[in-house]
Amino acid sequence: MDQATPPDARPDAYADPRLLALLDRIAAETPLRAPGLDLSHLRACPDVLAAEAGTADPESGGLPLTGADLSGARMEEADLTGANLRRATLGGVVGRSTRFTGAILEEADLSEADLSGADFTGTVAGQVKFVGAMLEDARFGQAAMRFADLSGALLDGADFAGADLWGTDFSGADADDTVFREARLDEAKLADANLTHADFAGASLTKASLAGSRLRGANFTGAKLDGADLSGADLSDTDLVRLNLATCRLRHARFSGAWLNGTRMSVEQLGGAVGEEVAGAYEAAQASYLALEQNWKSIGSHDAASWAYKRGRRMGRFHAGRQALAAWTERDWTGVLRHGYRWTADRFVEWLCDYGESLSRIARAFALLIVVFAGLYGLTGGLFILAGPEAGPTYNPLDLLSYSALNMMTANPPEIGLKPTGRVTNLLVGLEGAVGIILMGLYGFVLGNRLRR
């Protein structure tokens, strides 16, 4: 039994009348003006055009549509492989799953187009406009799109792997789960874009602007970020392991839950605070400072790690204070006591030793307590001079301060011709000695930590 020749083997046998009519209009050698044209499911790839001698574009091998106006056209699942659409107007077209593989789209305007799932692999599309276009799951692998404009575009799940996107504008784009692996994004504009879970592995982002972008969960493994602007960017839960961010702008960036290890950066780049603190999200700010502290420890930057540790503890105190106020508003007295105690304790520890990081604050506490106890000894009148013409209770500030200082720094009451008398005075002497032992131990602990660094 004879078998019919498959249609794919006989291009001329299934030429779409719409294609023939389109080729006739193109042959008129005037720019095509056909807004709203129906090209749905049209096959106009080079293989099909080969059956029509002289109709293919000599530069791209596809449809010659240079400067054409196809705004509002319908081209769902059409095959426009290799089409030359240089400077063409395709604003508002509906082209879901359309194939533009290898097409020329330089300076073309596809603003507000619906091109979800379209294939732009290997296209030459310098300065193309996709402003506000819907490009979910579209494929741009290996495309040349320098200085393209995709601002405000919907790019969820789009694939730009290996694409040349130098200077491309993605400002305000929504690009969840977008793939930029090995792409070139030097000087690209990605400010205020939603790039949650985007994949930048191996990409080049030299001098790119990502200011204010949401990069939560993004992957920057092996990415190059020299001179990039990450000011105000949300890098929460982001993989930033072993990156060099030393030349980046990181003012008020967010790092809560970020993977930071061996990452080069400095305190000065943060502008004094992480983004969570500036926004008043103190619990998240505490987590952000913890990530920074661990990173700076991993690269041996102990002063920076100390700064992050102290800021993190302070954020914990601010958070406790906010919880105490909320509990007060709700008349939750148990919560007031719990959170209020935490705030008070943290505030005292900060004053006393800056969370175990300041020797000068401990020395200040020593000096202040020596003066306080000296005053208390004077008030009680319980320090007596044992012998001499001045025998009896003393109120001389020098005597009171000398006894208080020596009592603070020795295990036993000092023998300097002064004797405490009375229960209250002896209680003060014992209390001061105990406080002195605690402060001396704390001073030794902090000093040991500083020396180990």
Side-chain angles (χ1 to χ4, degrees):
M1 182 174 62
D2 293 338
Q3 293 183 348
T5 303
D8 288 347
R10 297 182 293 115
D12 57 321
Y14 59 84
D16 191 316
R18 295 175 302 167
L19 175 60
L20 298 176
L22 181 60
L23 293 174
D24 288 341
R25 297 180 66 173
I26 293 171
E29 298 184 356
T30 57
L32 179 65
R33 298 287 181 266
L37 189 65
D38 183 8
L39 301 176
S40 301
H41 304 281
L42 181 71
R43 295 195 64 219
C45 56
D47 289 344
V48 174
L49 295 176
E52 302 293 330
T55 58
D57 185 85
E59 185 178 358
S60 64
L63 275 175
L65 293 169
T66 300
D69 182 359
L70 296 172
S71 54
R74 300 190 60 85
M75 51 179 66
E76 299 98 320
E77 300 185 25
D79 187 347
L80 298 177
T81 299
N84 188 342
L85 290 156
R86 184 180 282 114
R87 295 185 297 278
T89 301
L90 294 99
V93 301
V94 179
R96 290 184 286 271
S97 300
T98 300
R99 293 192 65 186
F100 292 95
T101 308
I104 297 174
L105 289 163
E106 290 178 327
E107 301 180 47
D109 187 353
L110 294 96
S111 300
E112 306 296 333
D114 182 356
L115 296 162
S116 305
D119 188 353
F120 294 91
T121 302
T123 55
V124 177
Q127 301 183 60
V128 65
K129 291 184 180 179
F130 285 105
V131 179
M134 298 176 65
L135 294 161
E136 305 103 312
D137 300 314
R139 299 181 298 282
F140 292 88
Q142 307 301 320
M145 300 176 62
R146 291 195 173 196
F147 302 103
D149 188 351
L150 291 95
S151 55
L154 187 58
L155 296 164
D156 294 349
D159 187 349
F160 291 89
D164 185 353
L165 301 165
W166 188 305
T168 297
D169 188 354
F170 291 93
S171 301
D174 196 341
D176 287 354
D177 301 301
T178 302
V179 176
F180 294 98
R181 279 183 173 269
E182 306 293 336
R184 187 162 193 180
L185 287 153
D186 300 342
E187 299 183 21
K189 300 174 184 177
L190 298 117
D192 300 312
N194 181 9
L195 295 159
T196 304
H197 299 295
D199 187 355
F200 292 96
S204 177
L205 290 141
T206 300
K207 297 183 180 179
S209 174
L210 296 110
S213 289
R214 297 180 294 283
L215 292 156
R216 182 180 292 269
N219 177 20
F220 284 94
T221 303
K224 186 178 181 182
L225 289 155
D226 298 346
D229 186 357
L230 291 158
S231 302
D234 185 358
L235 296 162
S236 305
D237 304 316
T238 301
D239 185 353
L240 300 168
V241 174
R242 300 192 181 282
L243 293 179
N244 184 5
L245 303 180
T247 59
C248 295
R249 280 176 280 179
L250 300 170
R251 181 179 174 81
H252 302 330
R254 303 185 179 209
F255 296 95
S256 176
W259 290 43
L260 289 165
N261 190 291
T263 305
R264 299 288 171 179
M265 58 194 302
S266 66
V267 171
E268 292 74 19
Q269 291 173 262
L270 300 177
V274 295
E276 293 94 338
E277 180 182 352
V278 174
Y282 298 127
E283 188 174 20
Q286 187 175 17
S288 188
Y289 284 119
L290 176 60
L292 291 169
E293 177 195 353
Q294 293 173 340
N295 174 68
W296 279 318
K297 283 182 179 178
S298 72
I299 61 175
S301 183
H302 297 294
D303 288 341
S306 174
W307 177 85
Y309 167 72
K310 291 185 289 186
R311 299 293 296 193
R313 288 292 301 272
R314 192 168 299 158
M315 295 305 103
R317 176 168 65 84
F318 290 165
H319 182 57
R322 178 173 289 176
Q323 288 178 306
L325 288 175
W328 178 275
T329 303
E330 297 172 2
R331 300 295 188 268
D332 177 9
W333 308 122
T334 302
V336 171
L337 289 174
R338 183 172 68 254
H339 301 305
Y341 171 78
R342 181 186 168 193
W343 184 92
T344 303
D346 279 3
R347 186 68 185 89
F348 173 73
V349 172
E350 182 181 2
W351 174 86
L352 177 63
C353 60
D354 204 10
Y355 304 109
E357 296 293 316
S358 175
L359 291 171
S360 62
R361 291 196 181 195
I362 301 175
R364 178 188 65 182
F366 264 115
L368 180 62
L369 288 173
I370 287 170
V371 173
V372 168
F373 275 98
L376 291 174
Y377 294 143
L379 287 175
T380 60
L383 281 183
F384 281 73
I385 297 176
L386 298 177
E390 298 179 350
T394 180
Y395 297 96
N396 186 320
L398 184 60
D399 290 340
L400 298 175
L401 286 171
S402 298
Y403 186 89
S404 179
L406 291 171
N407 187 50
M408 177 76 74
M409 299 179 185
T410 57
N412 298 309
E415 298 292 339
I416 58 171
L418 294 173
K419 181 179 179 180
T421 303
R423 293 180 179 178
V424 174
T425 303
N426 278 292
L427 180 63
L428 289 174
V429 169
L431 180 60
E432 185 181 20
V435 171
I437 291 171
I438 293 171
L439 289 179
M440 289 294 289
L442 179 60
Y443 192 90
F445 172 76
V446 176
L447 179 60
N449 283 340
R450 298 291 292 271
L451 291 175
R452 279 196 297 272
R453 294 173 186 170

